[in-house]
Amino acid sequence: MLGTGASAQHLTFAMVDSSHGDRGTVSYTNAAAGVAYNASVMAVEANSYGARFAYTIPSTAPASVRGLIIVWQVKDNSPDTAAFKVATSTSQALDMVDHGFMPTNSYTVSSGGLDTAWASTYGQRGYALGNAAFGTSPSQHLAFVVLDYGMTGDTGVAFYANLTSPLTYQAPTPVVRVDGTSAWFAYTIPAGNAFSGTNVVWKVTNGATDMVGFTTAPSATAAAAMVNAGSSITLVPAAGDITVVQLKRLLGHATGTVWFGPRGARQMMSFEVFDYVGAPDRGAVLYRNLSAGIAYRAYVHDVRVTPHTAYFDYVVPTGSLKGTIVVWKVSDYGRHHDHVGFSVASSLSAAQSMVENGFTPTNQYNVTRGNLTVHMP
């Protein structure tokens, strides 16, 4: 909230300054002037103590302001401040975002707050951000920026307002999951609120109609488990805008041509597999066991690469073993110390679980010739 009384203005925003393309959304209301709109940002410049961002007021806004190019400068300080200036062109707005500017309208944040933070992109699997207004009785609002770094290192912040209660708070989000067009995140309502200590789990979905929903959990541990499992949560339509971005990133790569097994039953495998997030895993395996008259080439379904070890599965496409689902574990501990092993899975879902969770192979071998390597970025 900027200002007080009848002239107060309400600004809510959520955005990411990213090398993959800046993204963000803004909701603005000035009741005294009869102005309200939602807009998408064209550029963001953020650091750990503030941000600058620009957008064009959309055609759905009142005629008196539609089409104006607004550049905001917000500072995460004590107290928080927000200021803006109208740019004469898109190029000028982008220059103001990049290099700073002297605002013509400045305000102290009278209620609510803002949060800016720097975060590394290394290991990032995805992120979500948005402004979402939903419900009528009560009328609720959620603004958030959440970043998914896998099982550890997630970060973000969420702002929630129940305009009927009234209940307003801001909370960090220590656990986040991004999967396709949906994101889950959890937090504990901070002290000083009627529901302090409550663990809340949200699911948000970016679609033709954006959707949001939440539930509570008995503990922070239970909330984290619900997020990581992608638990089902009842969703309702939301006004505003939600963006969910799953990043395509190579998590690891394994390759090799190796011989293994006892003399007279020697086997050979040549493989190259890739573990991705945000895109399907891929790779191929060439396998031969000449003593058993077996030879085939197969394409993998799932891959997981960890330090020194990779797991992958496939369905044998031809020959006497056609349809057999094979899951491999290959370990890179230096030439003369590599080893490989496999098990047969009962189904593709069972094979996927073995890849994701690891397993002890039914058939294990030391590599007798050749070499394999397992790489992580």
Side-chain angles (χ1 to χ4, degrees), residues 48-69:
S48 58
Y49 52 84
R52 296 184 296 271
F53 54 91
Y55 59 85
T56 301
I57 298 179
S59 59
T60 52
S64 59
V65 297
R66 71 179 59 148
L68 292 179
I69 303 172

Side-chain angles (χ1 to χ4, degrees), residues 145-166:
V145 175
V146 295
L147 293 82
D148 178 8
Y149 285 87
M151 296 300 289
T152 59
D154 296 340
T155 187
V157 63
F159 171 84
Y160 173 83
N162 183 321
L163 305 180
T164 305
S165 296

Side-chain angles (χ1 to χ4, degrees), residues 264-281:
R266 185 159 296 175
Q267 304 167 64
M268 186 279 286
M269 178 171 63
S270 182
F271 65 93
E272 187 169 28
V273 296
F274 300 85
D275 180 8
Y276 284 103
V277 65
D281 298 333

Side-chain angles (χ1 to χ4, degrees), residues 321 323-328 342-347 350-351 354 359 361-363:
L321 297 178
T324 302
I325 303 169
V326 183
V327 191
W328 285 90
F342 72 89
S343 293
V344 174
S346 58
S347 66
M354 293 164 68
F359 70 104
T362 305
N363 306 276

Side-chain angles (χ1 to χ4, degrees), residues 2-239:
L2 312 177
T4 59
S7 62
Q9 303 166 62
H10 187 209
L11 175 71
T12 306
F13 58 90
M15 56 196 61
V16 170
D17 177 6
S18 172
S19 60
H20 302 282
D22 297 342
R23 295 173 183 260
T25 179
V26 177
S27 293
Y28 174 85
T29 302
N30 185 332
V35 174
Y37 58 78
N38 296 313
S40 296
V41 302
M42 65 176 74
V44 181
E45 182 71 28
N47 52 41
S48 58
Y49 52 84
R52 296 184 296 271
F53 54 91
Y55 59 85
T56 301
I57 298 179
S59 59
T60 52
S64 59
V65 297
R66 71 179 59 148
L68 292 179
I69 303 172
I70 307 296
V71 187
W72 283 90
Q73 176 177 278
V74 296
K75 294 185 177 181
D76 185 4
N77 212 330
S78 297
D80 294 339
T81 59
F84 75 89
K85 185 174 183 177
V86 177
T88 58
S89 65
T90 297
S91 60
Q92 184 190 45
L94 295 176
D95 185 72
M96 291 164 67
V97 169
D98 285 340
H99 302 107
F101 65 100
M102 184 64 67
T104 54
N105 302 271
S106 300
Y107 308 92
T108 298
V109 175
S110 54
S111 66
L114 62 92
D115 182 86
T116 61
W118 181 90
S120 168
T121 58
Y122 179 76
Q124 190 178 105
R125 295 179 174 225
Y127 61 86
L129 58 93
N131 273 301
F134 60 99
T136 54
S137 182
S139 178
Q140 303 171 73
H141 188 93
L142 174 72
F144 61 93
V145 175
V146 295
L147 293 82
D148 178 8
Y149 285 87
M151 296 300 289
T152 59
D154 296 340
T155 187
V157 63
F159 171 84
Y160 173 83
N162 183 321
L163 305 180
T164 305
S165 296
L167 172 65
T168 303
Y169 60 80
Q170 183 171 302
T173 59
V175 57
V176 179
R177 175 181 175 178
V178 173
D179 188 358
T181 58
S182 294
W184 292 256
F185 55 91
Y187 56 76
T188 302
I189 297 178
N193 293 279
F195 297 95
S196 297
T198 302
N199 298 289
V200 183
V201 182
W202 287 89
K203 178 181 179 181
V204 299
T205 298
N206 179 201
T209 300
D210 292 339
M211 308 286 284
V212 301
F214 72 90
T215 187
T216 59
S219 67
T221 301
M226 293 173 67
V227 170
N228 290 325
S231 294
S232 176
I233 295 175
T234 301
L235 302 177
V236 298

